[in-house]
Amino acid sequence: MQVLLAGATGAIGRPLIRALTAHGHAVTAIVRNPANHGLVRELGAEPVTADVLDREGLLRALDGVRADAVIHQATALRDAKPQRRIPADDPTGLLRTVGSAHLLEAAELVGARRFLTQSLILGYGYRDHGTVPLTERDTFGVYDGGVADEVVRACVSAEEQAFAAAGLEAIALRYGLFYGPGAFSDLFGDMMRKRQPVGPRGEGGVNSWLHVEDAAAATVAALERGVAGRAYNLADDTPITWGEFFRLVRHSKQAPRPIRLPLWLVRLGVPYIAALMGDTSMRISSELAHAELGWQPRYSSVADGLAAG
């Protein structure tokens, strides 16, 4: 297929371009910064300069472009700063709400028939979900009035907009927490080396993870074999606590012992991190993706993925 990709230079975008081209797909990559054109071409895609949040500029830049599918992987997580509340105009949130609307218009313009959007397992809600693995049959979009509701709301918006678009085969990809190059493991490894606090003390909540290479492979599988109107959970086989994640990252990066603060202090300073690491536990089932996409993670655990480098 001819694929139009937004978010081409992010943690998942880079391995995704390689995975798409390895499967014979041609990729046109939306790039906000022209300085990244060389990188995108090196990865195997053809860049087009546009900002997903600039509707007129995006549609103008894509005039004459043709694509069979659009994949929305645009985020602004690398630019995120710790803050007490996630505002309604949070950049990544806007990319999932306003950006989704613009990319759906772009899909119509370029003649695409399939649309894949990035979602997150955190859209199930920031709370303790117990020990039974969550499936796609569980309620997605649970709000508790807390500091993380904007993240949930943005994920729900991205999915609902895609599924409501007429004439498109829409698929939502509910990824586990990313680790690997450019993702959480690199971020926290750098913070450990700089002696910056990485989170609260204790084991924290249990979460499901996904290596960025496995995320890319799952995305290609969904592009080729995904059922229109479906959401797919995509995570590895081994949910772990944040305490275990930090130990694995420290060992992998040969970093100093991480600085971790009392949960009450993290809750006071950065409530979102306390909600994510202290309050949220979820174990994710990816059985639907295994059955319908024929996808299995290459790395069954964070330990395996980090050990592989």
Side-chain angles (χ1 to χ4, degrees):
M1 299 182 204
Q2 181 68 47
V3 178
L4 179 64
L5 172 63
T9 61
I12 184 175
R14 299 183 191 202
L16 180 54
I17 291 175
R18 291 192 294 265
L20 286 165
T21 56
H23 278 245
H25 304 294
V27 182
T28 300
I30 299 171
V31 180
R32 188 175 60 176
N33 186 350
N36 287 324
H37 281 200
L39 168 63
V40 166
R41 288 194 174 99
E42 184 178 334
L43 290 168
E46 185 60 32
V48 57
T49 304
D51 183 344
V52 169
L53 293 179
D54 175 5
R55 176 185 177 275
E56 288 74 19
L58 175 66
L59 298 180
R60 185 167 56 248
L62 295 176
D63 186 29
V65 173
R66 290 293 174 263
D68 302 300
V70 175
I71 302 179
H72 182 358
Q73 298 285 0
T75 67
L77 295 175
R78 283 178 297 184
D79 302 325
K81 300 291 190 297
Q83 52 192 331
R84 285 194 53 78
R85 285 198 166 271
I86 298 173
D89 62 351
D90 169 70
T92 292
L94 286 177
L95 285 166
R96 291 189 173 126
T97 55
V98 177
S100 291
H102 295 169
L103 284 171
L104 286 164
E105 286 192 65
E108 182 178 4
L109 175 68
V110 302
R113 58 184 176 80
R114 286 176 82 76
F115 189 96
L116 276 62
T117 191
Q118 182 188 118
S119 190
L120 297 173
I121 61 171
L122 295 172
Y124 285 107
Y126 285 67
R127 61 186 178 85
D128 186 349
H129 292 267
T131 59
V132 178
L134 292 168
T135 74
E136 295 83 356
R137 292 186 296 274
D138 287 289
T139 302
F140 190 80
V142 177
Y143 306 98
D144 65 2
V147 294
D149 275 1
E150 285 301 328
V151 177
V152 178
R153 189 170 291 110
C155 290
V156 170
S157 175
E159 292 196 12
E160 288 183 345
Q161 288 187 74
F163 291 141
L168 274 181
E169 300 171 359
I171 295 169
L173 305 172
R174 295 175 181 170
Y175 297 109
L177 303 183
F178 289 146
Y179 73 99
F184 271 128
S185 49
D186 277 2
L187 169 66
F188 286 118
D190 289 344
M191 293 173 69
M192 290 176 193
R193 291 194 187 96
K194 294 175 182 176
R195 307 302 292 157
Q196 297 173 341
V198 298
R201 294 172 185 163
E203 287 303 301
V206 172
N207 267 287
S208 294
W209 294 81
L210 186 65
H211 194 285
V212 291
E213 297 282 354
D214 281 328
T219 304
V220 175
L223 173 70
E224 296 174 345
R225 298 183 291 279
V227 177
R230 283 270 206 271
Y232 291 100
N233 290 343
L234 302 168
D236 69 22
D237 304 324
T238 315
I240 58 173
T241 65
W242 282 96
E244 179 64 14
F245 180 75
F246 289 139
R247 287 190 290 273
L248 290 168
V249 170
R250 181 192 177 198
H251 175 75
S252 171
K253 304 292 185 181
Q254 298 183 332
R257 184 183 299 275
I259 297 173
R260 301 174 68 187
L261 305 174
L263 180 59
W264 67 264
L265 185 57
V266 177
R267 198 180 304 281
L268 185 65
V270 193
Y272 167 72
I273 298 300
L276 173 63
M277 297 184 181
D279 303 335
T280 303
S281 281
M282 58 175 66
R283 295 160 174 83
I284 296 296
S285 168
S286 301
E287 288 302 318
L288 184 64
H290 299 166
E292 292 191 354
L293 306 182
W295 170 80
Q296 294 282 344
R298 177 180 180 185
Y299 303 113
S300 65
S301 68
V302 174
D304 288 347
L306 291 181

